Amino acid sequence: MNAIADDVAQLLDTAARAAREASAVLATAPRPQRDAALMAAAAALRARADLVIAANAADVEGAPGLSAAFRDRLLLNPARVEAMARAVEEVAALPDPVGRVLAEWTRPNGLLIRRVTQPLGVIGMIYESRPNVGADAAALCLKAGSAVILRGGSESTRSAAAIHGCMVEGLRAAGLPEAAVQIAPTADRAFVAAMLRAAGLIDLIIPRGGKGLVTRVQQEARVPVLAHAEGLCHTYIHESADPAMARTILANAKMRRTGVCGATETLLIDSAIAPSLLPLLVADLRALGCDFRADDRARAIVADLPPATEEDFRTEWLDAILSVKVVDGVDQALDHIRRFGSEHTEAIVTQNEGVATHFLNNLASAVGMWNASTQFCDGGEFGFGAEIGIATGRLHARGPVGPEQLCTWRYTVIGTGQTRP
């Protein structure tokens, strides 16, 4: 390692060791103390809203040439700062995930065995562009009794620092160690590499961002990773769908916020209903500023749709673009999702309960929706207050990651003097 890399590695080592000490305090801190820290942090976000917004404005001004979707992810305004504060309060109001007895049983020899939740320890959160992720991650980790080191995108450093200051104010007010929530002390990209190599200091890495970030973390990490999914989400409109419902759901699923990971990127529509409904769906979305990439069967119905390539169906647009494919029934829709999807969130619009059940039972995705917008895939909407991301790995957590998913468990064995023969 060169001198700069050595300096960065030392910064990470110092931060992680301080986080480790803080995590030991958090692990035994009573719920009222952790909740008090969250409530004080929410109050600080409101009290410092002008400072947070000013810092964010400087970030936006310092990153010219942003796409509309990227700018939307980066931007903070009074409503979004208030939403951050409310989310922190909602996390505080959740049941305590630490110390819950998940199961207990008594063995024939009289030993009582309990499986009990406990904090993970130190979590490293690496995220891009959306500064509110820092507040969400800090709140959820504190609720779950773990310390966190936050490394946001280089384009949001001022916003991250302002939000971090509010979280630290909450910790200070509750008498908890300030090192329980830290931000990267340097914008050097080598700090991310140091986090990924910090086995024994960091217990879990959570990347939240684009496919490139998640892939890099998965390839380079020597620390366990809870991967956030690329949001290549699908909405499938079955032939039994109520047309008015389908139009409303799709418009929301695609266009409410195009830059979030729960936005629908591909429309799958049954051939039986496509001739009558597809022109209406296209007109609805075009009125909202959406563009399209469509297969030949869709273009035979709406002739001026731009043609789609196979790569288009593999693309998470994060923009006002929708891929469109006509399919013959639910199984063909499922085949397409298995081939092109990212196992994030899929929705079906249908009045047929049997078809909906078949669709949902045959998904490999973390979240399946029936007659609802894919944009409901969100920790706040699931009742978690906030989320760190959408996990799609086949082990441990799946779907929105809230406080419960940030805990592991231990076993407690209670005897009456037994010895093993």
Side-chain angles (χ1 to χ4, degrees), residues 176-197:
L176 290 172
E178 296 180 17
V181 178
Q182 300 178 65
I183 56 173
T186 175
D188 194 322
R189 291 173 62 87
F191 192 83
V192 173
M195 291 177 72
L196 300 182
R197 290 195 297 267

Side-chain angles (χ1 to χ4, degrees), residues 78-413:
R80 291 185 179 181
V81 175
E82 173 59 25
M84 273 196 291
R86 285 201 311 271
V88 173
E89 290 174 335
E90 289 168 4
V91 170
L94 293 173
D96 191 353
V98 180
R100 292 189 304 120
V101 177
L102 301 176
E104 71 174 38
W105 59 95
T106 301
R107 297 290 297 145
N109 59 12
L111 288 176
L112 174 63
I113 301 176
R114 290 178 179 152
R115 185 184 302 130
V116 184
T117 59
Q118 71 173 35
L120 286 169
V122 177
I123 296 172
M125 183 76 196
I126 303 169
Y127 59 99
E128 296 176 325
S129 67
R130 292 180 63 182
N132 64 291
V133 172
D136 290 350
L140 292 168
C141 289
L142 286 176
K143 184 71 179 185
S146 286
V148 63
I149 299 173
L150 303 165
R151 204 289 188 179
S154 59
E155 68 286 335
S156 61
T157 53
R158 300 174 186 87
S159 307
I163 293 168
H164 174 252
C166 298
M167 304 309 297
V168 168
E169 186 171 326
L171 290 166
R172 191 182 301 123
L176 290 172
E178 296 180 17
V181 178
Q182 300 178 65
I183 56 173
T186 175
D188 194 322
R189 291 173 62 87
F191 192 83
V192 173
M195 291 177 72
L196 300 182
R197 290 195 297 267
L201 293 173
I202 294 177
D203 298 292
L204 181 71
I205 292 285
I206 303 177
R208 181 171 182 180
K211 186 175 182 179
L213 169 66
V214 175
T215 299
R216 178 197 172 189
V217 169
Q218 290 176 315
Q219 290 176 345
E220 298 182 16
R222 299 178 188 173
V223 178
V225 175
L226 185 62
H228 169 74
E230 180 186 15
L232 215 168
C233 306
H234 299 75
T235 293
Y236 165 53
I237 300 178
H238 182 251
E239 65 177 287
S240 70
D242 175 87
M245 179 189 291
R247 292 171 69 178
T248 300
I249 287 175
L250 182 65
N252 182 269
K254 179 64 227 180
M255 298 301 293
R256 172 188 167 271
R257 288 187 69 183
T258 59
V260 298
C261 62
T264 286
E265 303 290 21
T266 297
L267 165 65
L268 303 172
I269 183 167
D270 251 331
S271 56
I273 200 173
S276 61
L277 185 57
L278 183 58
L280 299 177
L281 297 170
V282 170
D284 290 344
L285 292 179
R286 275 183 169 160
L288 297 172
C290 189
D291 197 4
F292 301 88
R293 304 290 186 270
D295 74 345
D296 290 343
R297 297 176 76 184
R299 295 180 71 237
I301 298 168
V302 183
D304 63 347
L305 290 175
T309 65
E310 181 169 301
E311 188 59 29
D312 289 331
F313 289 110
R314 300 186 189 280
T315 299
E316 182 188 18
W317 295 108
L318 296 174
D319 204 346
I321 303 171
L322 180 69
S323 302
V324 182
K325 182 177 179 62
V326 176
V327 296
D328 296 320
V330 62
D331 287 320
Q332 196 171 105
L334 288 165
D335 287 343
H336 180 95
I337 291 168
R338 291 188 196 100
R339 181 179 178 191
F340 294 99
S342 62
E343 298 189 358
H344 189 294
T345 301
E346 328 299 347
I348 182 171
V349 185
T350 180
Q351 298 301 105
N352 188 316
E353 182 177 355
V355 169
T357 300
H358 179 77
F359 179 84
L360 297 172
N361 287 347
N362 284 275
L363 288 176
S365 302
V367 179
M369 305 275 189
W370 176 18
N371 289 345
S373 167
T374 56
Q375 297 220 8
F376 279 109
C377 186
D378 173 87
E381 295 295 334
F382 276 37
F384 301 162
E387 70 178 39
I388 282 185
I390 310 296
T392 59
R394 299 303 179 93
L395 300 175
H396 191 50
R398 303 202 77 203
V401 177
E404 289 185 13
Q405 291 75 31
L406 294 178
C407 288
T408 184
W409 58 78
R410 68 179 187 276
Y411 289 93
T412 298
V413 181

